[in-house]
Amino acid sequence: MTERTRDTPDAVDNDERSNGYVPLRSYGAIGDGRTVALIAADGRIDWLPIPSMDSPPVFASILDAEHGGHIALRPTGDASASREYIPGTNVLVTTWTTDSGTCTVTDAMVTGVAGRLPWAEIGRCVQGVDGTVELEWAVVPGTLLNTAEPRRLDTVNGTVVGVDGITIAIVEQGFDPVHEDGPRFSGRFTTSADSEHILTIVGTHDEPIFMPDPEQSMQGIDRTIRNWSTWSEEFAYDGPWADAVQRSALALKLLIYSPTGAIAAAPTTSLPEDRSGGKNWDYRFAWVRDLSYTVHALTSFGLREETHAAVSWVIRTIAEHGDSMPIFYELDGSDSDGVHERDVPGWDGIGPVTEGNRASDQLQLGVWGDVFEIMRQYVRAGNVLDRKTAATLEGLADDACKRWEQPDAGMWELEETHHYTTSKIGCWQALDAAVELHDAGQIEGTRDMWVKNRELIEDWVAEHGWNEELGHYVMHPDTDALDCSILLHAMSAFDRGPRMSATIDAIREQLQRGPLVYRYSGIEDEESPFVACSFWLVAALACVGRQDEARALMDEMVAQGNDVGLFSEMISEDGSFMGNLPQGLSHLALIQAALTVQEMSGEDDAAA
């Protein structure tokens, strides 16, 4: 039960909000292939960058409750809410029940006849079910993380709001608007049985703004539902945990940046990994690692267009940046331009809030394995590499032979460089894939050198990555610490034997808390358990033949999602979501785990 506690129409609040913030577990997500909005369980949109995921957010009260901006919509009095996605879509429906009646709110990022619209458009359609429900609404543009001031502009064709180069327009039908002074809009209205009202927010950046007719917006929501349903009909998976797998695939689809084919790690920035703060990162970039796992998943589901777009984007982008191997790129394929800290409080007052990511210039040897795994999966699906792609891969394989002996920052982007065990195995994975691609006639190059270095890495890991006294793989030779990224290399088939099984036992004993797992030894005081690690553990258990344990843990982890099946980056031991969300890697790991359990148990292939 939620309860209205303040009578200010431009700041709808309820008992779940504390100082204007709600738990991160409260958020559902909608998107259009370019940007993503986050909607709290109380009906308030607290995050929306325009026009793209990595643009400044014109609605950002998730990071700045007072000045960030929001779009509120909920009953005026006591009300209970339940919500769900329309099956096979990223359209969210909330059912509100009060003493006087029931209504639904359908939220969609509207898409067009031929895909995403040239502008950003959110439609919020309110339909009366029975009785009457009085609702209040507000559109309060924010300050772009305290970098600009919204201003109102009245024109003959309607009132709009400008915030720096962003223009926002509001179109409504039946919302009985009350325009306040300045750039804020609010009002109240009452539903009845079978009534229909709509609030549409349209946004552009440095472009004229299209003012849709309310009836067009109604039709747009219906079209968006059909578009998502059509996409889901192409999705082929009938294995275990099918509902969670499809919801995770739909969450990943939200993160695919359709203008380029890049895949964002998450659509948000600076949501804290722990309540002590400090570890607040911007994840609105395309990590090569995440793209690798995504290609595997999408290929398994028979989804061709997204797979080809992602593969083409990553190899083209790497070729354009031929003098280096960045671990992530901007969504348009450019290099990150550094980090800018913003003077806003952060979620629940936990800062800092940043735009940009400091890890852009790190050396991470595991990326070589990620790139080659992308191309291996693409070829295994029956596709053919062009000559330019082949030449790029041949050069990368030679580079892996030269660089695998160097220290690096490891998968976790740590400040201290070491000879991380899983970084070496990442180069092994790259060379193993290079040999396979060579033998398949897809690339040429120095096969014998690749085989030799693959064997040298195997010898190095056996001597330095395995600690005989401890009986498990270690993070690097200078430590006794465990590192959960080793679990990925049960899936890569580097080791599915007794040593991997023993390392799994050590991880479960030292790093697992209930179903949740920390990333590596000694991190418990700095951050929350990492969702992907639990799903990697599921997959690794399946790979070493421990199916019953894998299935039991998978059941527990699937239940850790929120009420609409989304996952953040981390989940604290008390069940609170932490970190950016929805987190692509978390959903990818869920999919990987389900596919691996299915494969290792000998069930039918996931793809139809």
Side-chain angles (χ1 to χ4, degrees):
M1 174 74 71
T2 57
E3 183 178 340
R4 185 169 173 273
T5 57
R6 265 195 333 212
D7 196 27
T8 49
D10 67 320
V12 176
D13 215 338
N14 64 78
D15 60 3
E16 195 178 30
R17 287 193 180 261
S18 174
N19 298 319
Y21 300 97
V22 295
L24 297 179
R25 182 176 278 277
S26 175
Y27 287 104
I30 58 175
D32 62 357
R34 190 176 181 185
T35 192
V36 171
L38 296 185
I39 307 172
D42 65 0
R44 206 168 92 172
I45 295 174
D46 287 334
W47 178 260
L48 175 61
I50 292 175
S52 303
M53 281 182 274
D54 55 354
S55 300
V58 70
F59 299 102
S61 59
I62 194 173
L63 295 176
D64 181 0
E66 186 174 1
H67 302 293
H70 62 263
I71 306 168
L73 177 60
R74 60 157 286 125
T76 56
D78 292 352
S80 63
S82 63
R83 59 183 183 167
E84 62 182 353
Y85 285 107
I86 294 174
T89 80
N90 279 313
V91 175
L92 190 63
V93 178
T94 303
T95 300
W96 288 100
T97 302
T98 71
D99 291 341
S100 61
T102 304
C103 67
T104 63
V105 177
T106 301
D107 284 307
M109 287 288 298
V110 178
T111 54
V113 175
R116 63 177 175 82
L117 293 169
W119 56 86
E121 181 176 328
I122 286 183
R124 312 199 74 180
C125 179
V126 184
Q127 294 173 299
V129 177
D130 58 56
T132 62
V133 180
E134 185 186 42
L135 294 97
E136 57 187 353
W137 64 276
V139 179
V140 184
T143 61
L144 303 186
L145 301 180
N146 202 26
T147 64
E149 195 66 33
R151 56 185 294 268
R152 173 176 172 158
L153 177 64
D154 294 310
T155 81
V156 68
N157 290 326
T159 299
V160 299
V161 175
V163 194
D164 200 4
I166 297 170
T167 304
I168 300 294
I170 300 165
V171 177
E172 53 76 30
Q173 180 173 288
F175 268 59
D176 299 331
V178 176
H179 298 308
E180 300 182 355
D181 292 337
R184 307 193 305 179
F185 304 80
S186 64
R188 294 188 179 189
F189 63 97
T190 301
T191 67
S192 58
D194 299 322
S195 65
E196 197 167 60
H197 306 71
I198 189 163
L199 175 69
T200 303
I201 296 90
V202 184
T204 59
H205 183 264
D206 287 340
E207 295 176 1
I209 193 157
F210 175 77
M211 303 287 282
D213 180 87
E215 200 59 41
Q216 290 177 321
S217 295
M218 295 277 197
Q219 296 168 3
I221 293 176
D222 291 336
R223 182 177 60 245
T224 302
I225 294 169
R226 292 195 301 270
N227 288 347
W228 280 114
S229 298
T230 299
W231 182 83
S232 292
E233 288 172 3
E234 299 297 315
F235 176 89
Y237 179 81
D238 59 1
W241 306 286
D243 289 345
V245 168
Q246 187 181 52
R247 177 48 52 198
S248 287
L250 283 159
L252 291 178
K253 179 66 172 169
L254 287 176
L255 302 179
I256 297 176
Y257 182 63
S258 61
T260 64
I263 301 169
T268 54
T269 180
S270 305
L271 299 180
E273 297 179 358
D274 189 82
R275 291 188 177 276
S276 59
K279 287 192 169 186
N280 297 14
W281 315 119
D282 191 347
Y283 276 7
R284 298 172 298 164
F285 298 91
W287 263 258
V288 175
R289 173 193 63 202
D290 293 16
L291 190 142
S292 169
Y293 306 150
T294 303
V295 168
H296 181 205
L298 298 181
T299 300
S300 299
F301 300 144
L303 299 172
R304 301 167 298 167
E305 295 160 17
E306 294 85 357
T307 301
H308 181 80
V311 167
S312 299
W313 176 82
V314 74
I315 202 68
R316 181 176 64 250
T317 304
I318 289 171
E320 290 172 355
H321 298 270
D323 57 341
S324 63
M325 176 73 96
I327 60 177
F328 66 83
Y329 301 97
E330 300 269 3
L331 298 180
D332 65 3
S334 62
D335 289 331
S336 173
D337 66 350
V339 178
H340 310 281
E341 189 164 321
R342 300 305 180 196
D343 185 21
V344 298
W347 176 77
D348 208 19
I350 303 172
V353 170
T354 61
E355 294 180 296
N357 196 296
R358 293 182 177 87
S360 59
D361 59 352
Q362 287 186 343
L363 173 63
Q364 287 190 24
L365 295 173
V367 177
W368 272 258
D370 297 330
V371 170
F372 272 91
E373 196 59 37
I374 292 170
M375 307 316 297
R376 169 154 57 187
Q377 294 297 333
Y378 189 65
V379 168
R380 284 180 177 178
N383 302 300
V384 177
L385 304 183
D386 65 284
R387 190 66 201 104
K388 183 175 180 180
T389 295
T392 300
L393 292 173
E394 291 155 17
L396 291 175
D398 290 345
D399 201 31
C401 292
K402 299 171 185 175
R403 305 197 72 169
W404 74 263
E405 293 182 286
Q406 298 178 11
D408 75 327
M411 178 178 182
W412 303 123
E413 302 170 3
L414 302 176
E415 294 183 3
E416 289 188 10
T417 60
H418 287 285
H419 291 281
Y420 291 100
T421 300
T422 55
S423 296
K424 311 303 183 188
I425 302 176
C427 289
W428 173 91
Q429 185 179 18
L431 297 173
D432 187 65
V435 171
E436 181 178 325
L437 292 172
H438 182 283
D439 293 349
Q442 298 277 352
I443 66 174
E444 298 175 355
T446 53
R447 183 186 189 281
D448 290 346
M449 183 173 71
W450 302 342
V451 171
K452 178 182 177 182
N453 279 272
R454 183 179 63 180
E455 293 171 350
L456 289 172
I457 294 171
E458 291 172 358
D459 293 341
W460 186 97
V461 173
E463 181 178 353
H464 302 289
W466 172 261
N467 187 305
E468 187 66 36
E469 182 179 348
L470 295 173
H472 62 70
Y473 286 110
V474 291
M475 192 174 196
H476 54 79
D478 303 321
T479 185
D480 294 345
L482 288 157
D483 176 2
C484 280
S485 66
I486 192 67
L487 300 170
L488 290 167
H489 294 293
M491 283 181 278
S492 76
F494 178 83
D495 185 351
R496 294 181 175 179
R499 287 189 171 186
M500 183 61 72
S501 189
T503 303
I504 289 171
D505 288 336
I507 288 171
R508 302 202 79 175
E509 179 182 351
Q510 298 181 39
L511 300 181
Q512 187 174 357
R513 307 289 188 275
L516 305 172
V517 180
Y518 287 94
R519 291 191 295 164
Y520 52 88
S521 301
I523 200 66
E524 296 92 330
D525 293 334
E526 298 180 25
E527 65 185 37
S528 304
F530 197 75
V531 170
C533 288
S534 295
F535 288 118
W536 295 345
L537 180 56
V538 169
L541 284 164
C543 286
V544 299
R546 296 162 62 173
Q547 282 282 339
D548 290 345
E549 293 175 74
R551 289 176 179 274
L553 180 56
M554 186 71 174
D555 287 339
E556 287 187 87
M557 276 308 299
V558 166
Q560 295 296 313
N562 73 358
D563 62 311
V564 290
L566 297 184
F567 285 87
S568 58
E569 179 186 14
M570 299 180 177
I571 300 178
S572 68
E573 292 187 38
D574 66 7
S576 301
F577 275 16
M578 303 300 295
N580 289 299
L581 80 157
Q583 179 76 10
L585 190 58
S586 298
H587 287 281
L588 284 165
L590 184 155
I591 292 170
Q592 283 180 303
L595 292 172
T596 304
V597 169
Q598 182 183 51
E599 177 188 355
M600 292 297 107
S601 64
E603 297 178 18
D604 293 336
D605 291 340

